[in-house]
């Protein structure tokens, strides 16, 4: 997903009762867990921990600070994702082009 679509993809993967194939979040972020799934009570499931997660962000993004990629990774780890990669691309802004696909 791109932007808010990335946030939706991450939230859906974290809440899915079954393992999904993977998530790519481009210039997105990991939304907070609903109160019923707060970090204190959230039980990490094996399917979630194995879901591959790719976080992409442009270094020149003026709409969402590239530091959000690191924040997203920290939140993903806290929610149980263990198979994740972060790529911050130089010379890209808040957009997607062929070189990122």
């Amino acid at each position: 997903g791109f932007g808010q679509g990335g946030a939706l993809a991450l939230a859906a993967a974290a809440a899915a009762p079954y393992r999904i194939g993977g998530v790519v979040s481009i210039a997105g972020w990991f939304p907070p867990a609903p109160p019923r799934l707060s970090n204190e009570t959230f039980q990490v499931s094996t399917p979630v921990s194995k879901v591959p997660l790719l976080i992409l962000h442009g270094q020149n993004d003026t709409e969402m600070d590239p530091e959000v990629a690191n924040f997203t990774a920290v939140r993903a780890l806290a929610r149980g994702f263990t198979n994740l990669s972060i790529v911050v691309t130089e010379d890209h802004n808040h957009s997607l082009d062929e070189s990122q696909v």
Side-chain angles (χ1 to χ4, degrees), residues 51-62:
V51 173
L53 172 57
L54 175 60
I55 301 166
L56 297 171
H57 211 102
Q59 182 64 45
N60 297 329
D61 191 334
T62 57

Side-chain angles (χ1 to χ4, degrees), residues 7-85:
L8 179 61
L10 290 163
Y18 48 85
R19 181 177 178 203
I20 62 171
V23 176
V24 177
S25 176
I26 304 164
W29 69 96
F30 206 133
R36 64 179 170 68
L37 295 177
S38 68
N39 288 340
E40 293 80 30
T41 61
F42 184 69
Q43 297 297 316
V44 176
S45 67
T46 301
V48 172
S49 68
K50 296 187 184 305
V51 173
L53 172 57
L54 175 60
I55 301 166
L56 297 171
H57 211 102
Q59 182 64 45
N60 297 329
D61 191 334
T62 57
E63 296 192 34
M64 185 173 295
D65 192 308
E67 185 60 30
V68 171
N70 292 325
F71 168 81
T72 296
V74 168
R75 188 168 271 173
L77 289 167
R79 293 287 298 276
F81 288 85
T82 58
N83 183 8
L84 61 92
S85 301

